[in-house]
Amino acid sequence: MNHLPMPPTIQRLMRSLSPNVRRAWNHRVDRMRLAPRIIFDYELLYVERGELTIRVENETFLAEPGDILLFKPGLEHEFVMSRGECWMPHIHFDVLDYADYEAVPIHFKRRSECSEEELAWLRPDILGSALGWPNVIRIPNHAEVFHTLMQIIHAYERRDPDYPLLQKSLVLRILYLILKGLRAADNAHLTMHQRAMERAVTYIMEHYNATIPLETLSKMAVLSVFHFSRLFKQTFGVSPHRFQIRYRMEKAKELMMFHHHLSLSTIAEKVGYSNVHSFSKAFKQAEGMSPRQFLKTHTSPT
């Protein structure tokens, strides 16, 4: 996976996610076989107990407890065989909000057996094509995904009046946990230094108005300056310096919006700039407008 900051199009896509759960089961069987088929939506299955031999298109996998299977729209898959009692909590869901989400069936046909009307139900594969998620997901935080998946299943079984909001929030949490888990699995060194990175970013936030040498942060993390800078950017998407500037700008906007009595010179000093010119230059570079333009746009006249 690519862990550089996500392109704006992907960020917009992620903000547009509005999942709907079509079906949710805590499925337990003595053995599992399923003939080749395609589905129109996503199916996310957690292997809680047993072993499953799965084929997705031309690839065959052995899925074991702790594995997460993501069956994607339009990809032919089958359960070839199983070993031992199989516990497989799973959900069928859309990641975007479609008006016909309740009308789309859970399918057991091959693509060649589908009518044109049925094929029109196929959803775009956002998680696979846009985010690059694999068919078999092996992540260190799989237990958190399992816990949230069981919450979805229990909520689906009850379906009280607040269910639509709850199921969306829980599926989004699963997607977030998987994203974090894939990053951790792909970058074991990030997991190893996670606490050090959290200490460093907390220190920056608590001392955002001070000049913080990289040497100070790297010593806190017990890393060389080079390795600290690289790990920080991989973890937070920006360099320590850019993170501090971004945080300073957020604090400056807060002061401008809610403390109208403060002058720009005072605000500049409070967020760590020696003069209003340096602050204005940094603010415009970060926000695309001057502080005075921000004030005109985001504050009401007194």
Side-chain angles (χ1 to χ4, degrees):
M1 291 184 66
N2 182 2
H3 305 303
L4 295 175
M6 289 181 293
T9 53
I10 298 297
Q11 291 181 339
R12 286 196 295 271
L13 175 63
M14 293 184 72
R15 285 194 292 268
S16 73
L17 297 182
S18 180
N20 286 310
V21 174
R22 183 165 289 105
R23 297 289 185 273
W25 291 288
N26 188 11
H27 195 192
R28 298 182 177 185
V29 294
D30 292 333
R31 58 180 181 170
M32 184 65 193
R33 292 286 298 274
L34 182 68
R37 67 164 182 170
I38 65 167
I39 55 176
F40 306 120
D41 56 357
Y42 288 101
E43 179 182 352
L44 186 141
L45 181 150
Y46 182 87
V47 183
E48 184 182 359
R49 178 178 293 186
E51 293 182 352
L52 298 166
T53 300
I54 308 292
R55 179 183 65 82
V56 180
E57 295 289 334
N58 297 320
E59 293 186 85
T60 301
F61 309 91
L62 176 63
E64 301 175 315
D67 287 347
I68 299 164
L69 306 179
L70 181 64
F71 299 110
K72 300 164 185 171
L75 292 188
E76 184 175 279
H77 61 272
E78 67 173 310
F79 289 60
V80 179
M81 62 177 293
S82 64
R83 180 181 300 171
E85 187 178 11
C86 296
W87 294 12
M88 305 165 294
H90 62 280
I91 57 174
H92 279 264
F93 67 101
D94 290 326
V95 294
L96 300 178
D97 186 29
Y98 297 98
D100 66 345
Y101 87 94
E102 289 183 318
V104 175
I106 306 301
H107 210 252
F108 295 92
K109 296 180 183 178
R110 292 184 132 163
R111 180 185 285 267
S112 60
E113 300 169 336
C114 295
S115 66
E116 289 187 11
E117 181 183 359
E118 289 172 324
L119 291 176
W121 283 328
L122 279 170
R123 308 311 200 194
D125 178 20
I126 293 170
L127 301 180
S129 61
L131 300 183
W133 288 11
N135 301 312
V136 180
I137 298 170
R138 296 185 171 108
I139 52 177
N141 59 336
H142 63 85
E144 292 182 278
V145 174
F146 168 70
H147 176 71
T148 308
L149 181 60
M150 294 306 297
Q151 287 182 289
I152 293 174
I153 292 170
H154 294 155
Y156 178 84
E157 291 170 346
R158 296 193 306 272
R159 273 180 280 187
D160 60 29
D162 300 325
Y163 170 74
L165 182 60
L166 178 61
Q167 58 96 24
K168 286 182 185 291
S169 66
L170 291 175
V171 176
L172 287 173
R173 174 168 172 75
I174 282 182
L175 299 181
Y176 170 80
L177 290 170
I178 290 175
L179 180 62
K180 290 295 184 183
L182 287 170
R183 289 182 176 178
D186 200 32
N187 291 278
H189 60 291
L190 293 183
T191 304
M192 183 188 308
H193 298 289
Q194 182 176 354
R195 289 185 179 178
M197 294 299 104
E198 289 295 337
R199 286 197 302 271
V201 81
T202 299
Y203 186 87
I204 293 173
M205 293 167 70
E206 291 177 346
H207 301 83
Y208 67 90
N209 58 351
T211 300
I212 308 173
L214 267 178
E215 290 79 5
T216 299
L217 297 171
S218 62
K219 285 180 181 177
M220 290 174 57
V222 197
L223 292 165
S224 69
V225 170
F226 171 78
H227 284 98
F228 170 79
S229 299
R230 181 170 58 87
L231 287 173
F232 190 98
K233 187 168 185 177
Q234 287 180 329
T235 303
F236 298 106
V238 293
S239 68
H241 178 64
R242 292 305 307 172
F243 185 95
Q244 185 182 40
I245 290 176
R246 187 174 68 188
Y247 195 73
R248 282 178 171 181
M249 295 306 108
E250 290 303 314
K251 288 295 182 181
K253 287 188 284 186
E254 179 183 339
L255 290 171
M256 284 189 281
M257 291 177 70
F258 300 109
H259 299 271
H260 300 163
H261 63 284
L262 295 177
S263 67
L264 286 180
S265 296
T266 301
I267 291 172
E269 184 180 350
K270 284 182 174 291
V271 298
Y273 290 91
S274 58
N275 58 71
V276 71
H277 175 74
S278 298
F279 166 65
S280 297
K281 183 178 179 181
F283 190 94
K284 188 168 185 177
Q285 286 179 340
E287 303 297 327
M289 66 177 72
S290 69
R292 296 191 185 281
Q293 289 173 313
F294 179 89
L295 282 168
K296 289 180 180 178
T297 306
H298 294 86
T299 60
S300 58
T302 55

